[in-house]
Amino acid sequence: MKTIFVFNLFLFVFLSGIIFSQEQNIPITVIGDSLVGKNINGESIREVFGNVTLTQGNVVITCDKATQYLARNDAELIGNVVARQEDLTIYTQQGFYYGNLRKCESHVGLKLNDREVELTAVSGEYFFDLHKAVFEKNVKLYDSVSVLTSNKLTYFRMEEKAIAEQDVKITDDENIIFADSLEHYRNQKITFAFNNVAIKNKKNNSMIFGDHLEDYTQKYYTKIDVNPFLIQVDTVFINLIDTTFAPEQIDTVTIFTLDSLLIRSRVMESFRDTLNYFIATDSVEILKGSFASKNNSTILFRTENKIITKMTNSIQPVLWYDNSQLTGDSITIYLDGSRIKNLDIDKNSFLLSQNKNFPLRFDQEASDKIKIYFKENKISRSEFYSDSKSIYYLYDENEPNGLTKSSSESAAIIFLNSKVDEVRLYGSPVSEYYPENQVENNERTFTLPGYKFIQDRPTKNSLLKYFHNRKKFDWNNE
C-alpha cells in the first residue's frame, strides 16, 4: 500500500509538472477583426485590430489592439484589456502578456478581482500559474471586512495571504493598523505587523504603538510584544470659579479638558470577547491625570470599568495620587467613566502622604485592607480594616505641632479639600501624642512597619519620551 501511495504521489507531481510545462510552452493565439504582419529589426510580429482575443490554455485576454511577437511568444495589449483565468479577472488600459512566463503586467493602472478580493494599483504583474500578484504604487486591497493599502503588495491567491510593504495601513470596522510591513491571512483573519506599528481602536479611542503586533480577529485577540505604548484620550468636564461678568458674585463654569491615559510595559494584550479586557505585563508604568502606578501586571476590564493590579515576583504594585502613595498586594480601581470612583487595596496595605511644606513628614496608615473613595476626582474618605496603625502629623495654622501615633481594629479618615479633616478610630483604640520638640529633626524615627517611600514615580515627560521618537501617523479622515 505504501508503495502504491508513493507511486501515485510521484505520478501526480510528474503529471502536474508536465501540465505546468505544457501550459507554458503553448504558443499564444491572437485573433481579431484584422491582422497585419510585419518584420521589424529581423523580428516577426503581427498587429491585430478590433475585438482582439488572445488565448493560451485557460488564460483568455480581450482588448482593442494587440501586437504579437511570434518568436518571444509575447504580446503587447492596448485598450480595454481584460484578462481572465477561471474566476479571476484583471482590468487595465494597456499591458503586456508574456506567454512563456504566463504573466500579465501593466504600468498604467490595473485592477484584479477574484470574487473574494479586489486589488488595485498603479503598476503590477500577475503570474497565472503561480496564482500570485505583485502590485506596486498606491496599492489597495479590498475584501468584505477590511481595506489594506501600501506601496507594495504581494498577494498569494491560493493561500489567501498578502505581504504588504512600505506605509502599510489596514482598516476594518474596529481597528486601524499602521506598520512598515505586514502579513495578512485573509481567510483566517490573522495579521502580523512589523516595525513602527500603530493600532487605533475606533470604539474606545485608544492607540497602541509598538514594533511587533499579532492580531487574531476571529479570536478577538491582539498582542504587541515589542516596545508597546498605549494612549487613550478622554475628555473630562471640570467646574471652575467664574467671575467674568460679575466679580462680586461667585459662580462656576463647566469646561472640558483632555485627560489622557498613558501605559508603557513590555507586553500588551487585548481580549475583546465577552469579557473585553486588556493586560499590560512586565515593568508596567501608568499615568492618568494625578494618578500614576508602577507594577508588573495590570488588567483593565473595559466592560466592568475596573482596573486590577497585583503583586508578582514578590513586588507589590505602587500607586500615587497627588502627594499620596499606596502599596498593597492587590489594588483594584473602580472607574466612573474616565474618573476614579474608589480604590480597594488588599493585604499588607499602606497609605503614605508627604507634606508639601515639610517633605520629611509623612502621614502613614497601615492595615490589612484599605478602601478609598473619591468625589469630583478628589479623595473624600478612606477606611482601614483589621489591625489598623497610623501616624499623623499635627499643625497649628500651618506650623508643625507634633504628631499622634494610634492603633485600633479599624479606622476612617474624612478629607476636606484633599486634606485630613477628621480621624475616627474603632475597636480598642490606643493613641499617643508626641510634642513638637520630640519630633523635629527626628521625623525618620516615626515610621510604621512596612514603610517605604518610592521616588521613581512615572511622569508625563518620562513616559512620553518613548512616544516622541516614534513615527507619526495620519489618523485623519478615519
Side-chain angles (χ1 to χ4, degrees):
M1 181 64 73
K2 182 178 180 181
T3 302
I4 295 173
F5 173 75
V6 172
F7 174 76
N8 287 336
L9 179 61
F10 171 77
L11 184 61
F12 173 75
V13 173
F14 178 70
L15 291 175
S16 298
I18 291 177
I19 293 170
F20 181 75
S21 178
Q22 286 177 342
E23 290 278 305
Q24 283 186 313
N25 293 329
I26 296 175
I28 60 175
T29 60
V30 183
I31 60 173
D33 293 343
S34 63
L35 183 150
V36 177
K38 293 182 180 179
N39 189 302
I40 299 178
N41 297 327
E43 183 175 15
S44 297
I45 65 171
R46 291 193 297 183
E47 292 181 330
V48 185
F49 301 89
N51 297 310
V52 178
T53 300
L54 182 152
T55 305
Q56 187 187 39
N58 61 355
V59 176
V60 179
I61 302 174
T62 60
C63 60
D64 295 338
K65 176 189 174 183
T67 301
Q68 181 182 11
Y69 299 85
L70 298 173
R72 287 189 269 163
N73 202 24
D74 297 338
E76 184 180 8
L77 314 164
I78 299 173
N80 297 309
V81 180
V82 180
R84 290 188 173 87
Q85 183 191 42
E86 299 170 348
D87 56 354
L88 175 134
T89 306
I90 297 172
Y91 304 89
T92 184
Q93 284 302 313
Q94 185 173 343
F96 216 96
Y97 182 73
Y98 300 88
N100 291 342
L101 296 175
R102 301 257 293 170
K103 182 183 80 170
C104 180
E105 73 174 24
S106 173
H107 302 287
V108 297
L110 73 168
K111 179 174 71 176
L112 179 153
N113 189 306
D114 66 359
R115 300 182 183 177
E116 297 291 340
V117 304
E118 182 174 289
L119 185 59
T120 64
V122 173
S123 177
E125 54 188 7
Y126 184 78
F127 299 84
F128 290 95
D129 286 330
L130 299 176
H131 305 285
K132 171 185 170 184
V134 180
F135 280 29
E136 295 183 281
K137 297 181 183 176
N138 195 23
V139 184
K140 294 183 180 179
L141 186 150
Y142 304 86
D143 65 15
S144 59
V145 296
S146 63
V147 179
L148 190 158
T149 62
S150 66
N151 277 325
K152 182 178 181 181
L153 185 139
T154 304
Y155 180 56
F156 302 88
R157 287 190 61 222
M158 295 299 103
E159 300 172 61
E160 299 188 83
K161 169 186 173 184
I163 300 176
E165 303 170 72
Q166 304 172 21
D167 295 326
V168 182
K169 182 172 76 171
I170 183 168
T171 305
D172 59 27
D173 291 340
E174 186 175 2
N175 294 312
I176 305 169
I177 299 174
F178 288 93
D180 284 354
S181 62
L182 178 147
E183 290 182 17
H184 179 60
Y185 296 83
R186 198 189 63 81
N187 191 34
Q188 296 102 322
K189 294 181 174 52
I190 297 174
T191 300
F192 302 102
F194 308 92
N195 297 323
N196 290 310
V197 179
I199 178 170
K200 179 180 181 179
N201 187 290
K202 299 178 184 177
K203 296 180 179 178
N204 58 36
N205 203 29
S206 66
M207 294 174 284
I208 304 178
F209 303 84
D211 286 310
H212 179 254
L213 172 144
E214 299 178 14
D215 182 70
Y216 303 84
T217 301
Q218 291 181 328
K219 296 181 179 178
Y220 302 98
Y221 172 73
T222 303
K223 177 173 75 173
I224 295 185
D225 55 4
V226 179
N227 302 322
F229 188 89
L230 179 145
I231 298 177
Q232 182 168 327
V233 179
D234 290 319
T235 302
V236 175
F237 292 88
I238 58 176
N239 293 322
L240 296 178
I241 296 176
D242 180 24
T243 58
T244 304
F245 299 103
E248 71 282 0
Q249 297 179 1
I250 297 177
D251 198 358
T252 60
V253 60
T254 300
I255 66 170
F256 72 89
T257 183
L258 296 179
D259 186 21
S260 297
L261 169 67
L262 309 177
I263 301 178
R264 177 175 174 264
S265 65
R266 297 281 177 83
V267 179
M268 292 184 186
E269 299 168 278
S270 176
F271 300 81
R272 301 179 299 279
D273 53 10
T274 53
L275 291 179
N276 191 15
Y277 60 101
F278 165 89
I279 299 178
T281 307
D282 197 353
S283 305
V284 184
E285 294 181 312
I286 302 174
L287 185 69
K288 180 177 172 58
S290 300
F291 283 86
S293 177
K294 295 188 76 168
N295 57 77
N296 276 326
S297 175
T298 294
I299 305 175
L300 168 61
F301 294 90
R302 298 185 190 278
T303 305
E304 300 176 45
N305 230 2
K306 180 175 69 176
I307 298 173
I308 296 177
T309 175
K310 294 183 177 180
M311 182 174 69
T312 58
N313 299 326
S314 301
I315 299 175
Q316 284 186 318
V318 56
L319 186 148
W320 294 269
Y321 173 71
D322 283 342
N323 63 327
S324 297
Q325 171 192 297
L326 292 163
T327 53
D329 291 359
S330 172
I331 299 176
T332 303
I333 304 169
Y334 298 90
L335 302 169
D336 181 9
S338 62
R339 292 183 172 183
I340 295 179
K341 184 170 61 177
N342 59 287
L343 293 170
D344 286 353
I345 304 99
D346 293 299
K347 294 185 179 177
N348 301 309
S349 309
F350 205 106
L351 170 61
L352 188 72
S353 297
Q354 184 181 30
N355 190 291
K356 294 179 181 177
N357 297 323
F358 302 93
L360 294 179
R361 302 191 173 209
F362 293 89
D363 292 335
Q364 302 160 50
E365 189 82 42
S367 65
D368 190 55
K369 181 181 181 69
I370 300 176
K371 285 179 171 286
I372 300 178
Y373 299 88
F374 294 83
K375 188 175 182 180
E376 295 183 352
N377 230 23
K378 294 181 180 178
I379 186 169
S380 62
R381 178 186 177 90
S382 58
E383 298 172 353
F384 306 86
Y385 299 92
S386 183
D387 195 20
S388 175
K389 299 181 177 62
S390 63
I391 291 176
Y392 282 94
Y393 286 85
L394 304 174
Y395 303 90
D396 185 5
E397 295 183 353
N398 295 325
E399 291 298 320
N401 188 21
L403 63 78
T404 60
K405 190 172 183 180
S406 307
S407 64
S408 61
E409 287 298 318
S410 60
I413 299 175
I414 310 302
F415 291 84
L416 183 62
N417 296 324
S418 299
K419 294 182 179 178
V420 176
D421 183 57
E422 185 179 342
V423 178
R424 300 172 183 173
L425 305 178
Y426 305 98
S428 305
V430 176
S431 182
E432 298 175 320
Y433 171 73
Y434 294 83
E436 181 61 27
N437 60 0
Q438 295 183 24
V439 174
E440 188 175 13
N441 299 323
N442 294 313
E443 288 89 347
R444 293 187 182 280
T445 64
F446 292 97
T447 58
L448 296 175
Y451 167 91
K452 53 184 175 182
F453 180 45
I454 304 169
Q455 302 188 58
D456 58 344
R457 176 177 181 164
T459 65
K460 184 176 290 185
N461 288 337
S462 69
L463 282 177
L464 287 181
K465 71 180 181 182
Y466 298 100
F467 173 73
H468 286 322
N469 294 329
R470 300 204 63 84
K471 183 178 180 180
K472 303 300 184 295
F473 301 96
D474 182 11
W475 303 101
N476 295 326
N477 302 318
E478 299 296 346

